[in-house]
Amino acid sequence: LIILFAHDGTITNHLLRVRVLVGIGLISYSAYLWHQPLLAFARHRSVVEPSIQLLSVLCVLTIPIAYLSWRFVEQPFRDRNRFDRNTVFASSGVLAVAFLAFGMWGHASKGFPARVDDEIKGILKYADDRNPDTLKCSSSAAHGYLAPDEACTLGAENNVIGVLMGDSHSNALAYALGEDLKESGVGVHHMWYSNCPPVTGLYRVDKTANNECDRYNTEAFERLENDPALKYVILAARFTLYYEGNRFSNGEGGVETGDPFFVDGVAFKGATRTEAQRKATVSKAYVAGIKALLNRNKKVVLVYPIPEMGWDVPSYAAKQMLLGDGGEVSTSYARYRERNRAVFEIFDSLGEQDGLVRIYPHKVFCDSFVTDRCAATVDGKSLYYDDDHLSNYGASYITGNIVSRLR
C-alpha cells in the first residue's frame, strides 16, 4: 500500500526519498541478519537475562555492522564482473555443505565437550540426575493414565507400608527415597500425577479436558481407605505454585519460564471466580485432604515447599564457571519465606495432631550452607536438575529424614 500510494508530491514519497531512510533501506537485510546472533550470543554469554541497556547498545551496534556487511560482502557479490551466477551458486553450495558438516559434527559430539574442563562437564551432568523410572511410573495428561493401583513401588516390594503421593516434586524425591527405603527394609507405592496437587476436589483450570487430576486423586484416596496396610502417606508437591498460580522469580534475574498455572475447585468449573475465591478454595482443599487422611488413621508425612531457584541450576552454574565466578548458586532465603508464606500458614493451621509429621526442606537448604541464602549447589554438585526439581543428589539430603519418620 505504501508503494502503491507513494506518488510524486505525496508526504510518503518525500519521506521515502530522505537519504537516511534510503540508507537504512539499503542495509536493512544485513541488519536483519546481524541483530539475531548479537542478541542470542549476549544471552548465551550472560548468566542472567541481559539488561535493557545492553540489548539497546547491541541494537544500535547492528547498524554500523550491517553497513560494513552491505558494503564489503553484499555489494561485491552483486558485481557481475567479479561474481557470475555459477560462482555464486557454487560457493554457496560449498559453504552450505561445510556448515551442515560442522553442525552434524557438533551434534554427534554433543557440543564439543572437550572445549570445557571436567568441572563444568561434571555440573552439567546433574541435568540428568533424576529418577530413571519417570516414564515407566508417571501418570499424566501427556504420558497417559496410570491408575493408582498400578503405581510403581519404591524400596522393598515385599513390605509396603505406605505411599508417596504428589506431583513431579514427589518424583524428584522418588529415586533417593527408594534407595533409603531399601536400606530400612520397607517400601511405599508411588502414586503421582504430574502437575497435580495430591488432594481431591481440585482441577487444572489451564489444562484441557484430558487432564484427570481429580479422578486420579479420588482413586488414590479410595485405595488408601480400602488398604489398612498402607499406614503412611508422604505428601510432596509444588503446593505453592498451585495456590499462587504464578511462576517463580528470584528477584535476581532468574525467572521461571512457562504459562500461568491455576487450580480451582471442581465444583466451580465454568464459573467466573475472583483470585481470592480461588485461593480460598485451594486452601480449604489442602486442609480437607490432609484431615481426611488423618481421619482414616493414616500417618501423614507432609513435605513443606522445596525452594525454587528461578534458574536452571546446572546450566547456570556451568555459565558461572565459564566466567570464572566459581559456580556456587543460591537464592534469597527472604524470597523463599515471602513466596511460601501463605502455604506455610495453611499447613501450620492444622496444628499439632497425632499422626501428622512435618518435613522442612528449607531447614536443610536455606541459611545452612550459605547464610541467608537457599543453596542450589554444594561443593561443585547440583542439588537440582533444573530450576525447581531436586536432583537425586539433592533429594538424598532430605529423604533419610522422611524414612526415619516411617515408624
Side-chain angles (χ1 to χ4, degrees):
L1 289 175
I2 290 174
I3 295 172
L4 181 63
F5 291 101
H7 304 301
D8 287 342
T10 63
I11 295 176
T12 305
N13 186 279
H14 286 301
L15 285 174
L16 293 179
R17 289 176 181 273
V18 174
R19 292 179 63 85
V20 173
L21 295 182
V22 171
I24 292 176
L26 288 173
I27 68 170
S28 61
Y29 190 68
S30 288
Y32 161 72
L33 292 177
W34 276 111
H35 88 281
Q36 186 57 37
L38 287 173
L39 300 182
F41 278 106
R43 288 189 170 92
H44 281 301
R45 187 73 173 82
S46 176
V47 294
V48 298
E49 182 67 16
S51 67
I52 294 297
Q53 292 80 4
L54 174 60
L55 295 178
S56 298
V57 169
L58 292 175
C59 286
V60 173
L61 189 60
T62 299
I63 302 301
I65 295 177
Y67 170 77
L68 294 174
S69 180
W70 170 80
R71 176 68 177 81
F72 296 106
V73 179
E74 192 173 337
Q75 285 298 95
F77 269 90
R78 292 180 184 276
D79 186 350
R80 292 179 181 270
N81 295 322
R82 302 173 67 178
F83 298 98
D84 59 22
R85 178 184 291 268
N86 291 335
T87 303
V88 170
F89 277 104
S91 59
S92 297
V94 171
L95 287 172
V97 171
F99 275 116
L100 179 62
F102 184 77
M104 293 177 67
W105 181 25
H107 177 73
S109 68
K110 297 184 179 180
F112 308 113
R115 66 192 170 87
V116 297
D117 61 34
D118 290 340
E119 185 181 21
I120 295 174
K121 286 186 283 189
I123 199 74
L124 286 171
K125 287 181 180 178
Y126 281 91
D128 298 318
D129 186 31
R130 57 182 80 187
N131 182 10
D133 293 326
T134 294
L135 293 180
K136 181 177 76 173
C137 302
S138 68
S139 187
S140 68
H143 297 117
Y145 192 83
L146 184 71
D149 286 343
E150 303 174 77
C152 292
T153 300
L154 309 175
E157 296 188 8
N158 61 346
N159 187 23
V160 177
I161 61 173
V163 303
L164 168 63
M165 191 172 170
D167 59 6
S168 60
H169 273 214
S170 75
N171 186 52
L173 299 176
Y175 181 79
L177 181 65
E179 294 299 297
D180 287 335
L181 288 168
K182 284 179 186 176
E183 293 184 7
S184 298
V186 296
V188 299
H189 295 312
H190 185 197
M191 300 179 183
W192 70 289
Y193 195 94
S194 182
N195 298 321
C196 173
V199 295
T200 59
L202 297 177
Y203 80 105
R204 281 287 300 277
V205 179
D206 55 307
K207 285 293 183 181
T208 56
N210 69 331
N211 186 277
E212 300 187 89
C213 174
D214 186 54
R215 172 193 169 191
Y216 186 88
N217 287 326
T218 299
E219 292 180 6
F221 270 60
E222 289 174 354
R223 170 74 190 280
L224 288 167
E225 186 172 18
N226 296 328
D227 192 343
L230 302 177
K231 300 176 183 178
Y232 296 91
V233 181
I234 306 163
L235 295 179
R238 206 169 173 190
F239 294 104
T240 300
L241 177 61
Y242 303 122
Y243 178 82
E244 295 292 346
N246 59 303
R247 303 280 182 167
F248 179 65
S249 170
N250 63 23
E252 303 169 38
V255 182
E256 181 186 0
T257 59
D259 296 326
F261 201 108
F262 294 104
V263 298
D264 199 356
V266 173
F268 302 102
K269 276 189 177 183
T272 301
R273 304 264 284 160
T274 66
E275 185 65 356
Q277 289 172 327
R278 186 192 70 80
K279 285 185 174 181
T281 297
V282 175
S283 174
K284 290 177 183 177
Y286 285 176
V287 172
I290 295 169
K291 285 185 175 180
L293 293 171
L294 293 171
N295 291 337
R296 291 168 181 164
N297 296 316
K298 306 298 180 182
K299 296 186 183 298
V300 177
V301 181
L302 178 60
V303 181
Y304 273 57
I306 290 167
E308 302 154 298
M309 290 294 121
W311 295 302
D312 183 292
V313 176
S315 176
Y316 184 80
K319 280 188 176 183
Q320 283 193 316
M321 290 177 181
L322 282 169
L323 297 175
D325 291 338
E328 293 301 321
V329 182
S330 64
T331 58
S332 166
Y333 185 23
R335 193 83 170 186
Y336 169 85
R337 293 194 299 269
E338 178 60 30
R339 164 78 165 170
N340 296 284
R341 177 176 287 112
V343 169
F344 268 64
E345 291 174 353
I346 294 168
F347 289 166
D348 292 346
S349 70
L350 290 161
E352 297 301 320
Q353 298 196 40
D354 291 339
L356 178 60
V357 174
R358 294 175 167 89
I359 302 294
Y360 298 105
H362 68 280
K363 291 186 177 181
V364 176
F365 301 121
C366 303
D367 201 27
S368 51
F369 298 104
V370 186
T371 303
D372 295 328
R373 307 281 292 178
C374 296
T377 59
V378 176
D379 297 329
K381 299 178 180 180
S382 180
L383 301 172
Y384 293 76
Y385 70 73
D386 60 10
D387 61 281
D388 63 270
H389 294 90
L390 292 175
S391 62
N392 292 334
Y393 173 72
S396 68
Y397 276 79
I398 61 174
T399 52
N401 189 19
I402 294 173
V403 172
S404 70
R405 306 303 182 94
L406 306 183
R407 296 182 182 157

